[in-house]
Amino acid sequence: MLSEVLDLTESYSHSQILDGTLGLGGYSEAMLERFPSAKVLGIDRDPEAIKLSCERLKNYGERFTAMCKNFGSLSEIEGLKNFDVLVFDLGVSNMQLSIPSRGFSFNTDGPLDMRMNPNDDSVPTASEVIRNSDSETLAEILRTYGEERYAKIIASAMKRSLSPITTTAGLVALIRETLPQPVQRKMGTHPARRVFQALRIYVNRETEELESLLRSIHDDCESALVIFVSYHSLEDRLIKYAFREWQKEGKGKILTRHPLTPSHEETERNYKARSAKLRAFLMNHN
Ligand SMILES: C[S@@+](CC[C@H](N)C(=O)[O-])C[C@H]1O[C@@H](n2cnc3c(N)ncnc32)[C@H](O)[C@@H]1O
């Protein structure tokens, strides 16, 4: 949804931009190119993303800076009020999905990790979550964050498994063995997709992070264009309701009565984009 983000940004002040989900720096680079007088601060919780994007964007000198941080702690950023654009492209990056050792992908084998910051030992890995949760808790995680219809069956199979589930391939094999063939055929997607999504959201406390981020923007930003691109209904709902509340409180106005969705060309090019929704809010417009 990059071109929609750029077009929106162009219509308002954009001298100080915060890219709250830097990833590989694709959005930041496009902003730096399109708005030659703008400065961009990129933040990401993944130290590898910070390293790779700093390398990619080093030619922009002082116009680009980066910080390894969770956006749930945005209120700690000095001068947050001074940003006139805040952009968040939520979820997991292609880089994270493509490196097997990160454990995000059901298409490649690797350790079942899924932490967006693999250096943070205080966060349990997906494998540890499966090992240390009871069947009911696991089923609840799969239902809430993956809308997985077969949550209960899969959760009990996880707990019945004789050997610990420590790899992505091990988890995929368990799901394939557990769900009847006709069910798998009818799913219309990879049978492990919802389980992987649910574990990733739970491991990284993505809902809590988003809630905390929305509170900080509400409390600390005075005048800014706020743009969110989200990829599942739980996130989109939180954003939609927060924007409605902000508008009711007179903090500004919703710019997207209906969320923007990707063009046909974009979904052809990028499978992940098919579920993207873009919502924008203008704080304290006059
Ligand atoms: C979809 S990718 C962003 C891709 C980016 N727009 C680009 O052009 O490369 C999402 C990024 O957000 C980061 N992320 C997710 N949750 C985060 C959080 N709570 N705090 C900081 N970064 C987060 C992930 O590590 C990932 O790199």
Side-chain angles (χ1 to χ4, degrees):
M1 310 266 343
L2 177 57
S3 64
E4 290 82 354
V5 169
L6 292 171
D7 291 347
L8 262 168
T9 303
E10 189 158 50
S11 312
Y12 302 95
S13 309
H14 47 254
S15 57
Q16 300 283 343
I17 299 172
L18 182 109
D19 178 355
T21 49
L22 182 58
L24 281 184
Y27 275 30
S28 283
E29 181 171 58
M31 301 264 201
L32 289 158
E33 280 297 310
R34 176 97 161 242
F35 311 121
S37 56
K39 286 189 171 178
V40 176
L41 167 65
I43 67 172
D44 203 293
R45 73 201 316 201
D46 185 337
E48 189 61 20
I50 298 289
K51 198 177 104 195
L52 294 170
S53 52
C54 281
E55 182 55 33
R56 173 177 180 174
L57 302 176
K58 61 176 188 255
N59 291 340
Y60 293 96
E62 283 181 3
R63 289 182 59 214
F64 174 75
T65 43
M67 224 186 243
C68 191
K69 197 168 188 57
N70 283 7
F71 59 53
S73 323
L74 201 68
S75 55
E76 292 165 11
I77 291 185
E78 212 181 305
L80 187 58
K81 282 212 270 291
N82 302 329
F83 287 95
D84 33 29
V85 181
L86 293 94
V87 185
F88 302 91
D89 176 24
L90 301 174
V92 69
S93 72
N94 289 337
M95 178 273 282
Q96 289 163 333
L97 283 171
S98 67
I99 301 177
S101 64
R102 302 297 302 269
F104 287 106
S105 171
F106 43 72
N107 289 318
T108 50
D109 190 18
L112 191 57
D113 189 323
M114 296 201 193
R115 287 169 302 164
M116 286 188 180
N117 179 353
N119 300 343
D120 187 348
D121 291 330
S122 68
V123 175
T125 65
S127 172
E128 286 163 347
V129 168
I130 294 175
R131 192 167 64 237
N132 299 331
S133 310
D134 59 32
S135 179
E136 264 146 46
T137 309
L138 281 175
E140 189 56 32
I141 292 170
L142 303 187
R143 257 193 303 271
T144 309
Y145 301 119
E147 292 169 287
E148 173 57 71
R149 285 174 65 191
Y150 304 95
K152 202 167 165 188
I153 306 174
I154 297 170
S156 1
M158 284 170 168
K159 293 317 290 186
R160 272 198 323 269
S161 171
L162 297 176
S163 47
I165 304 161
T166 55
T167 62
T168 52
L171 179 57
V172 170
L174 177 129
I175 294 166
R176 284 199 186 279
E177 281 156 22
T178 305
L179 297 177
Q181 278 302 325
V183 166
Q184 293 190 40
R185 274 197 298 274
K186 265 206 275 174
M187 283 174 121
T189 177
H190 193 291
R193 193 180 67 79
R194 288 170 183 277
V195 173
F196 271 65
Q197 174 186 298
L199 288 169
R200 189 203 84 217
I201 294 174
Y202 182 79
V203 163
N204 294 291
R205 300 174 58 81
E206 290 180 34
T207 310
E208 291 85 347
E209 279 285 311
L210 178 58
E211 283 169 336
S212 166
L213 170 64
L214 289 165
R215 268 195 307 276
S216 307
I217 298 175
H218 170 272
D219 295 348
D220 301 334
C221 293
E222 286 169 5
S223 170
L225 170 67
V226 182
I227 305 174
F228 278 98
V229 181
S230 67
Y231 298 88
H232 66 85
S233 54
L234 198 66
E235 284 174 342
D236 182 55
R237 244 189 332 264
L238 286 173
I239 298 159
K240 178 168 84 179
Y241 289 123
F243 282 9
R244 278 193 192 159
E245 279 305 305
W246 299 356
Q247 183 162 273
K248 260 197 237 152
E249 287 175 27
K251 289 193 90 60
K253 69 168 181 179
I254 294 171
L255 300 177
T256 45
R257 209 157 77 79
H258 300 291
L260 306 184
T261 51
S263 61
H264 180 64
E265 295 80 62
E266 182 164 2
T267 48
E268 290 277 288
R269 233 183 316 118
N270 177 5
Y271 180 71
K272 185 189 153 201
R274 79 205 177 286
S275 51
K277 289 204 166 88
L278 183 154
R279 291 187 187 269
F281 189 92
L282 189 62
M283 309 270 316
N284 260 354
H285 81 112
N286 290 310

